[in-house]
Amino acid sequence: MPSKSILEQKQQIVSDLTEKIQNSISGVVVNYQGITVEDDTKMRKALREAGVSYQVVKNSLTGRACDNCGYGDIKQYLSGMTAIAVSSNDAVAPAKILKEYADKVESFKLLAGYVDGKVLDTAGVEKLATIPNKETLITQFLVCVRSPLVNLVYVLDQASKAGESAPAAEAAPEA
């Protein structure tokens, strides 16, 4: 039986991870086996810059934290060398960054994730990774909204210019 201090440490880890997951909008679980130290360092830097928390936690502790948050279905993916990345501000950042490394390193695998209260399998995480980030989506939306307005203003401007340059029709004398 583990000592009281070890048990308290594990409970604190589960508590902290539970809080991170509850306060996040998305997360991804990966099997990080086979990634080099150099690639791991670059990946962690990219995740940090995107505001994503990435940590290696024992599978049993990650499973308990997921259970506490209602993501118990993720436990079936927790085997081997796993890590979890969670984001509290960008739903696609963990999936997008980790997919980039999964594409580079054959043994590095996306396992599962969650977003909007739903657990995603590997295919779901890969789909999530293809969605543009929030800023890009806002830009695309504004371009879509702006384009018809610009076209309308152009047409109205051309119509008003055409009306100004047309000579006034002279009235024909009646015979």
Side-chain angles (χ1 to χ4, degrees), residues 3-77:
S3 71
K4 186 176 180 179
S5 65
I6 291 175
L7 190 57
E8 288 173 356
Q9 287 175 343
K10 288 181 179 183
Q11 288 171 341
Q12 186 61 46
I13 291 169
V14 171
S15 174
D16 292 345
L17 186 56
T18 298
E19 185 178 338
K20 274 186 184 179
I21 293 171
Q22 286 175 337
N23 293 331
S24 68
I25 56 176
S26 71
V28 176
V29 176
V30 296
N31 181 324
Y32 65 89
Q33 185 174 354
I35 191 167
T36 64
V37 173
E38 181 182 349
D39 283 341
D40 186 58
T41 303
K42 287 178 187 175
M43 179 187 67
R44 286 175 184 261
K45 181 179 182 212
L47 289 167
R48 240 187 339 271
E49 289 172 352
V52 177
S53 170
Y54 177 84
Q55 67 187 112
V56 175
V57 181
K58 285 182 138 188
N59 291 333
S60 60
L61 302 180
T62 302
R64 287 189 182 161
C66 288
D67 272 342
N68 293 344
C69 299
Y71 298 126
D73 291 343
I74 288 180
K75 288 184 357 182
Q76 65 184 318
Y77 300 100

Side-chain angles (χ1 to χ4, degrees), residues 153-167:
V153 169
Y154 177 75
V155 168
L156 292 175
D157 182 55
Q158 293 302 315
S160 70
K161 287 180 181 176
E164 290 172 1
S165 64

